């Protein structure tokens, strides 16, 4: 049955409209994923060298043990934001005489086909085989491998289970967010330490390898809970109504995101098919070379990170800033139809957030090559990456609710001042100054690394309260939508 489901998925892809553009997007994503895989393999095989370089005075295996749970905690947070729920894959089969357990099994197996599940194996397995296996024996090495593989499964299905629960009940998502905040505060005030807990767990695994059996038991438990939840909720009316509203996006992976995917696909097509939007995005790619001007060894050695925040913000988020500053103006030609149609504007804003997150993620992956100069650059860039997708996106969309200038998409962006107004100039001030409001106090009072931590925490807070900001932006848009439409008609 699983093979039949896969054949149906392949047939849907082959018969879809604009198959060539879908393949092009998949090839681009494939190259980006291949790049991340290569970086992960290099990090895995050079883990010992990296650890010795960063913390030369500590035991390598001790540091490695402390990193494991940190990685999976970060991995879990990223999965909550980016990993999709493959519910729509089985929507066409809900009315057929197919046993529930087969549909649930298909969903569980399909959930394994994710890049998130490959990366921890590439990062941790080489070090375990080269170091743990050599120092502590074959059996301990095998139990380490089993533990890492089980943690990967645990994260995979825990993220999906939590997202399904929070989708059904908003309070669960709020409680989960508060729990993460409490864990972060306990870590901040040194009441507890993820690194210490990770060290205790994996040091125990070295001394008593059989304790590693706990990890696959936990993984099997979350898989079972996931399966039971799906069996009970597979035919919810909410799922059926979403299925009825589903149209086609021409992008295979975006089909899984429902109406959000449809709107995101329209944005991608707008960028690719119109001269103004295409030239704006192309121009933004040139700014990835900004680091060559600002990333100087003297600045890095003296930890003058305040000089590097601006270029890091611009390189990881220039798509948000350059494309986002004209938001709604891109849809000015059909804005009246947007207002009169059945489009849920909250979903519209959600699609914009997703577009910004995807673009910033791709840019950050590319500019991470600057990390070859110094690991400090990676710390700065990732801090600004989280700040951009969590805070900058909100600021840009807030100003978009006050944009009354239409755009002619048939004209390029070079020497084209259409849509560039005084409000656009004012918008640049909070975009470029707000990171310093967070960074400078922490940097001056404690040290520059705490300033970067503050930017990261602020970004993650914005990310996990995104539903609140969508509601806020929707209200701001509702107040001004007719004024925006009137402004677009005048151009």
């Amino acid at each position: 049955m699983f093979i039949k489901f896969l054949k149906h998925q392949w047939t849907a892809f082959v018969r879809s409209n604009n198959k060539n553009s879908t393949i092009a997007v998949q090839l681009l994503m494939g190259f980006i994923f291949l790049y991340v895989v290569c970086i992960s393999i290099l990090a895995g095989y050079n883990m010992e060298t990296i650890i010795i370089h960063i913390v030369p005075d500590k035991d390598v295996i001790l540091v490695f043990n402390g990193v494991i749970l940190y990685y999976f905690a970060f991995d879990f947070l990223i999965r909550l934001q980016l990993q999709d729920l493959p519910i729509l894959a089985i929507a066409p089969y809900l009315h057929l005489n197919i046993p529930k357990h087969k549909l649930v099994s298909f969903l569980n197996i399909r959930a394994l086909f994710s890049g998130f599940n490959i990366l921890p194996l590439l990062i941790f397995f080489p070090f375990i085989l080269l170091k743990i296996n050599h120092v502590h024996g074959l059996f301990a090495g095998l139990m380490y491998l089993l533990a890492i593989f089980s943690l990967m499964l645990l994260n995979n299905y825990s993220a999906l289970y939590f997202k399904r629960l929070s989708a059904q009940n908003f309070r669960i998502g709020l409680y989960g967010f508060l729990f993460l905040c409490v864990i972060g505060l306990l870590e901040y005030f040194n009441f507890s330490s993820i690194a210490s807990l990770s060290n205790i767990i994996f040091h125990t695994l070295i001394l008593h390898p059989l304790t590693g059996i706990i990890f696959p038991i936990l993984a099997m438990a979350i898989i079972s809970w996931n399966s039971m939840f799906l069996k009970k909720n597979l035919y919810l009316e909410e799922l059926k109504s979403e299925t009825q509203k589903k149209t086609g996006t021409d992008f295979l992976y975006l089909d899984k995101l429902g109406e959000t995917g449809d709107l995101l696909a329209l944005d991608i097509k707008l960028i690719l098919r119109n001269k103004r939007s295409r030239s704006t995005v192309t121009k933004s790619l040139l700014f990835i070379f900004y680091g060559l001007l600002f990333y100087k060894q003297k600045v890095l050695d003296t930890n003058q990170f305040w000089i590097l925040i601006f270029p890091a913000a611009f390189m990881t988020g220039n798509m948000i800033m350059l494309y986002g500053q004209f938001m709604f103006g891109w849809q000015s030609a059909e804005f009246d139809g947007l207002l009169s149609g059945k489009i849920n504007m909250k979903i519209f804003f959600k699609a914009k957030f997703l577009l910004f997150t995807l673009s910033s993620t791709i840019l950050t992956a590319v500019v991470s090559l600057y990390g070859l100069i110094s690991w400090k650059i990676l710390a700065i860039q990732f801090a600004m990456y989280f700040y951009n997708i969590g805070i900058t996106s909100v600021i840009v969309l807030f100003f978009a609710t006050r944009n009354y200038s239409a755009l002619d998409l048939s004209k390029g962006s070079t020497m084209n001042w259409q849509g560039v107004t005084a409000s656009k100039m004012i918008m640049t001030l909070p975009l470029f100054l707000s990171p310093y409001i967070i960074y400078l106090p922490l940097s001056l009072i404690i040290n520059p690394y705490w300033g970067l931590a503050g930017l990261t925490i602020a970004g993650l807070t914005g990310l996990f309260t995104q539903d609140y900001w969508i509601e806020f932006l929707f209200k701001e848009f509702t107040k001004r939508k007719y004024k925006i439409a009137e402004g677009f008609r005048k151009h």
Side-chain angles (χ1 to χ4, degrees):
M1 182 61 72
F2 181 73
I3 300 300
K4 287 185 178 180
F5 286 145
L6 288 180
K7 287 182 178 179
H8 292 168
Q9 297 289 302
W10 175 252
T11 302
F13 168 72
V14 171
R15 295 178 178 177
S16 64
N17 295 328
N18 289 339
K19 181 179 63 177
N20 292 334
S21 62
T22 305
I23 293 173
V25 171
Q26 300 310 318
L27 286 174
L28 176 61
M29 296 303 294
F31 282 122
I32 293 171
F33 180 69
L34 183 61
Y35 165 78
V36 175
V37 166
C38 292
I39 294 294
S40 301
I41 292 173
L42 289 173
Y45 276 97
N46 295 283
M47 181 73 71
E48 184 174 3
T49 305
I50 294 170
I51 293 173
I52 292 173
H53 178 73
I54 296 174
V55 280
D57 55 339
K58 290 190 177 182
D59 181 71
V60 173
I61 294 179
L62 185 70
V63 175
F64 175 77
N65 286 343
V67 165
I68 294 174
L69 287 190
Y70 261 121
Y71 172 86
F72 282 104
F74 179 75
D75 175 71
F76 180 76
L77 295 177
I78 296 298
R79 285 175 186 267
L80 289 179
Q81 176 67 16
L82 298 179
Q83 190 169 1
D84 62 277
L85 292 172
I87 286 292
L88 290 170
I90 52 90
Y93 307 102
L94 293 178
H95 67 288
L96 301 177
N97 186 23
I98 299 175
K100 276 187 180 182
H101 70 88
K102 290 187 177 181
L103 293 175
V104 170
S105 296
F106 173 66
L107 287 176
N108 283 335
I109 295 172
R110 178 168 176 174
L112 291 173
F113 294 91
S114 169
F116 291 110
N117 297 332
I118 298 174
L119 297 182
L121 308 183
L122 298 176
I123 293 171
F124 293 111
F125 273 27
F127 181 86
I128 294 169
L129 294 171
L130 295 173
K131 187 71 176 179
I132 303 292
N133 185 49
H134 176 71
V135 176
H136 295 287
L138 178 61
F139 186 48
L142 290 174
M143 296 311 291
Y144 256 86
L145 296 176
L146 180 63
I148 297 297
F149 183 77
S150 300
L151 284 171
M152 177 272 290
L153 292 176
L154 185 67
N155 258 23
N156 183 67
Y157 292 103
S158 294
L160 294 176
Y161 183 62
F162 181 78
K163 289 181 76 170
R164 284 167 179 146
L165 285 178
S166 58
Q168 193 178 57
N169 188 339
F170 173 75
R171 290 183 180 178
I172 293 175
L174 180 61
Y175 295 150
F177 172 71
L178 292 175
F179 174 75
L180 293 174
C181 289
V182 170
I183 296 296
L185 290 172
L186 291 175
E187 178 86 10
Y188 175 79
F189 291 108
N190 295 321
F191 289 116
S192 66
S193 171
I194 296 176
S196 298
L197 176 62
S198 186
N199 261 318
I200 293 170
I201 291 173
F202 288 96
H203 184 67
T204 303
L205 183 61
I206 289 174
L207 298 176
H208 310 284
L210 282 175
T211 56
I213 297 296
I214 296 172
F215 292 99
I217 292 174
L218 292 174
M220 292 305 298
I222 193 63
I223 292 172
S224 299
W225 288 336
N226 235 329
S227 299
M228 288 188 290
F229 179 83
L230 284 171
K231 285 179 181 178
K232 291 179 181 178
N233 299 277
L234 200 58
Y235 296 101
L236 287 174
E237 288 302 314
E238 288 85 354
L239 178 60
K240 292 180 180 179
S241 63
E242 287 175 7
T243 304
Q244 290 169 356
K245 293 176 183 177
K246 186 79 179 103
T247 59
T249 66
D250 300 331
F251 296 99
L252 184 63
Y253 286 104
L254 297 184
D255 284 341
K256 305 172 187 176
L257 302 177
E259 189 177 352
T260 305
D262 290 337
L263 294 174
L264 177 57
L266 290 175
D267 256 323
I268 294 173
K269 290 177 182 177
L270 184 148
I271 292 170
L272 296 176
R273 295 176 179 177
N274 295 282
K275 189 174 182 180
R276 177 72 184 266
S277 55
R278 189 169 60 247
S279 60
T280 298
V281 172
T282 303
K283 184 172 66 176
S284 71
L285 297 177
L286 298 176
F287 289 100
I288 64 176
F289 300 106
Y290 243 34
L292 299 175
L293 301 175
F294 289 91
Y295 291 154
K296 304 299 182 183
Q297 196 62 48
K298 182 180 178 180
V299 175
L300 293 168
D301 292 340
T302 54
N303 292 338
Q304 298 181 63
F305 296 160
W306 63 273
I307 298 175
L308 307 180
I309 285 177
F310 168 75
F314 210 70
M315 285 191 295
T316 60
N318 61 67
M319 173 72 174
I320 300 174
M321 300 175 191
L322 296 178
Y323 183 79
Q325 68 174 317
F326 300 112
M327 199 55 69
F328 294 132
W330 301 113
Q331 289 84 22
S332 57
E334 60 272 359
F335 192 77
D336 287 332
L338 190 69
L339 294 181
S340 60
K342 295 183 179 180
I343 295 175
N344 184 335
M345 292 307 297
K346 291 181 182 179
I347 302 294
F348 184 84
F349 278 107
K350 187 176 181 180
K352 301 302 180 189
F353 274 114
L354 184 55
L355 174 67
F356 291 162
T357 300
L358 289 175
S359 63
S360 190
T361 301
I362 293 171
L363 287 171
T364 303
V366 174
V367 300
S368 64
L369 285 171
Y370 285 111
L372 296 174
I373 299 174
S374 172
W375 64 270
K376 294 179 182 180
I377 293 175
L378 286 180
I380 298 167
Q381 289 182 164
F382 276 103
M384 292 314 304
Y385 162 71
F386 287 115
Y387 186 86
N388 280 330
I389 61 177
I391 304 297
T392 304
S393 296
V394 176
I395 296 174
V396 166
L397 289 173
F398 173 77
F399 277 95
T401 61
R402 289 156 172 77
N403 176 28
Y404 312 120
S405 301
L407 293 176
D408 183 355
L409 301 184
S410 63
K411 297 179 180 179
S413 61
T414 305
M415 302 302 294
N416 185 353
W417 297 95
Q418 185 188 31
V420 180
T421 61
S423 63
K424 297 289 191 309
M425 304 296 182
I426 295 172
M427 184 182 75
T428 60
L429 294 178
L431 287 180
F432 295 131
L433 295 180
S434 60
Y436 291 97
I437 295 174
I438 298 171
Y439 173 82
L440 289 177
L442 291 171
S443 177
L444 294 173
I445 295 171
I446 310 177
N447 62 54
Y449 294 98
W450 280 104
L452 297 181
L455 291 171
T456 303
I457 292 169
L460 289 173
T461 301
L463 203 58
F464 287 107
T465 56
Q466 198 172 88
D467 289 339
Y468 167 82
W469 294 113
I470 289 174
E471 184 68 32
F472 170 77
L473 292 167
F474 172 73
K475 291 178 181 177
E476 291 295 308
F477 172 79
T478 303
K479 292 177 186 176
R480 299 174 180 83
K481 60 183 180 180
Y482 296 114
K483 189 175 179 179
I484 295 171
E486 182 181 357
F488 289 165
R489 294 189 202 104
K490 290 179 180 178
H491 292 78

